[in-house]
């Protein structure tokens, strides 16, 4: 069975600095997708970034980028120029090649941004 | 542009009571899901559906039931509520396809006392 692990329950970063959130996963599949979702205090789940496993190039969305290491099964999220609005819970998620679209989530990392 | 709508947003149930969490989406998505989020545990899949009339169990289905009579609606039924069902419940939907985005509702915070 596939699993997703986020080993950092809490992280903090100074405003305008850079922070990296870690995620590892376990799967025997070769074709899959990985996602980072943001959950602010409003509880809304917001997609931050996604990565296709067959693409070697790391995905980037403005200040958010990932470091995807397929062999190591690692998928970290880097937030550059952190802003107060980045404070939230961040979830790493895995979606396998089945035709059901099910997501497997990690435990989440709470990010605090200090002014 | 409603997206995924869940009702109610908050609810307190007594042990043994039943209730239905409503979920509706207006994006014509075939796939719909119910997750629960417990503190420090991430989201776990309860039930999912890949189309009207088709449902299947996820990781934690015990104590819940679902139905999918239309593409738009995917209600979650709690029978005989137990304190272990205290959680935040999220409904989500997506198009078919592996890399597509899943859209989430605002969640329902349920407390069973």
């Amino acid at each position: 069975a596939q699993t997703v692990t986020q080993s950092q329950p809490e992280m903090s970063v100074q405003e305008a600095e850079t922070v990296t959130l870690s995620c590892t996963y376990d799967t025997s599949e070769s074709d899959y997708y990985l996602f980072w979702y943001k959950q602010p205090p409003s509880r809304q789940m917001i997609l931050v970034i996604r990565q296709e496993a067959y693409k070697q190039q790391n995905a980037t969305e403005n200040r958010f980028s990932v470091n995807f290491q397929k062999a190591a099964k690692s998928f970290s999220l880097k937030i550059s120029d952190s802003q107060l609005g980045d404070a939230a819970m961040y979830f790493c998620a895995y979606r396998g090649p089945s035709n059901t679209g099910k997501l497997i989530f990690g435990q989440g990392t709470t990010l605090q941004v200090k002014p | 542009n409603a997206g995924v709508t869940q009702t109610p947003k908050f609810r307190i149930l007594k042990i043994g009571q039943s209730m239905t969490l409503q979920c509706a989406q207006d994006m014509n998505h075939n796939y719909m899901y119910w997750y629960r989020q417990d503190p420090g545990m991430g989201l776990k899949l309860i039930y999912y559906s890949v189309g009207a009339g088709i449902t299947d169990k996820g990781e934690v289905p015990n104590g819940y039931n679902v139905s999918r009579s239309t593409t738009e609606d995917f209600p979650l039924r709690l029978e005989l509520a137990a304190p272990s069902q205290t959680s935040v419940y999220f409904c989500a939907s997506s198009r078919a396809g592996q890399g597509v985005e899943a859209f989430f509702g605002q969640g329902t915070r349920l407390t069973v006392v």
Side-chain angles (χ1 to χ4, degrees), chain A residues 6-27:
Chain A
Q6 294 177 249
S7 58
Q8 305 156 316
E10 296 179 354
M11 293 282 285
S12 66
V13 63
Q14 208 70 34
E15 194 175 6
E17 297 293 307
T18 296
V19 64
T20 298
L21 309 184
S22 300
C23 173
T24 58
Y25 59 95
D26 188 25
T27 183

Side-chain angles (χ1 to χ4, degrees), chain B residues 18-52:
Chain B
S18 300
M19 76 165 293
T20 298
L21 280 65
Q22 300 292 344
C23 176
Q25 53 91 8
D26 62 358
M27 297 173 282
N28 202 32
H29 286 167
N30 285 330
Y31 293 3
M32 295 188 75
Y33 313 88
W34 276 105
Y35 292 90
R36 60 176 286 172
Q37 181 181 12
D38 299 322
M41 298 296 288
L43 280 74
K44 293 193 181 297
L45 184 65
I46 305 171
Y47 270 96
Y48 66 98
S49 169
V50 297

Side-chain angles (χ1 to χ4, degrees), chain B residues 20-24 32 34 47 65-70 72-77 91:
Chain B
T20 298
L21 280 65
Q22 300 292 344
C23 176
M32 295 188 75
W34 276 105
Y47 270 96
N65 277 299
V66 294
S67 60
R68 184 96 183 270
S69 56
T70 67
E72 294 78 20
D73 300 301
F74 190 41
L76 178 71
R77 178 81 176 164
C91 179

Side-chain angles (χ1 to χ4, degrees), chain A residues 43-113:
Chain A
R43 285 204 313 247
Q44 184 65 50
M45 294 286 285
I46 302 164
L47 178 65
V48 175
I49 199 165
R50 81 190 85 187
Q51 173 79 43
E52 300 98 314
Y54 63 86
K55 286 190 176 180
Q56 292 186 337
Q57 185 175 6
N58 289 324
T60 299
E61 289 286 345
N62 300 314
R63 297 183 296 108
F64 298 88
S65 61
V66 299
N67 184 5
F68 173 50
Q69 302 289 328
K70 190 172 184 179
K73 297 180 182 176
S74 171
F75 182 61
S76 60
L77 174 70
K78 186 172 82 171
I79 307 174
S80 303
D81 186 26
S82 296
Q83 301 175 359
L84 295 177
D86 295 333
M89 176 86 83
Y90 287 82
F91 290 99
C92 177
Y94 165 97
R95 174 179 278 174
S98 75
N99 61 352
T100 63
K102 295 183 289 184
L103 287 167
I104 299 170
F105 287 88
Q107 302 91 325
T109 296
T110 299
L111 178 66
Q112 181 184 24
V113 181

Side-chain angles (χ1 to χ4, degrees), chain B:
Chain B
N1 191 9
V4 179
T5 302
Q6 287 184 240
T7 55
K9 288 186 171 49
F10 303 92
R11 182 72 184 268
I12 298 174
L13 275 183
K14 294 184 178 180
I15 294 172
Q17 286 186 321
S18 300
M19 76 165 293
T20 298
L21 280 65
Q22 300 292 344
C23 176
Q25 53 91 8
D26 62 358
M27 297 173 282
N28 202 32
H29 286 167
N30 285 330
Y31 293 3
M32 295 188 75
Y33 313 88
W34 276 105
Y35 292 90
R36 60 176 286 172
Q37 181 181 12
D38 299 322
M41 298 296 288
L43 280 74
K44 293 193 181 297
L45 184 65
I46 305 171
Y47 270 96
Y48 66 98
S49 169
V50 297
I54 305 169
T55 62
D56 207 347
K57 296 178 181 179
E59 187 180 358
V60 290
N62 291 343
Y64 308 94
N65 277 299
V66 294
S67 60
R68 184 96 183 270
S69 56
T70 67
T71 299
E72 294 78 20
D73 300 301
F74 190 41
L76 178 71
R77 178 81 176 164
L78 279 72
E79 304 281 1
L80 299 174
S84 61
Q85 293 178 304
T86 294
S87 188
V88 178
Y89 292 83
F90 286 94
C91 179
S93 74
S94 74
R95 292 184 288 109
Q98 191 180 352
V100 298
E101 178 181 357
F103 292 84
F104 287 79
Q106 291 270 33
T108 297
R109 180 176 294 279
L110 175 68
T111 303
V112 181
V113 296

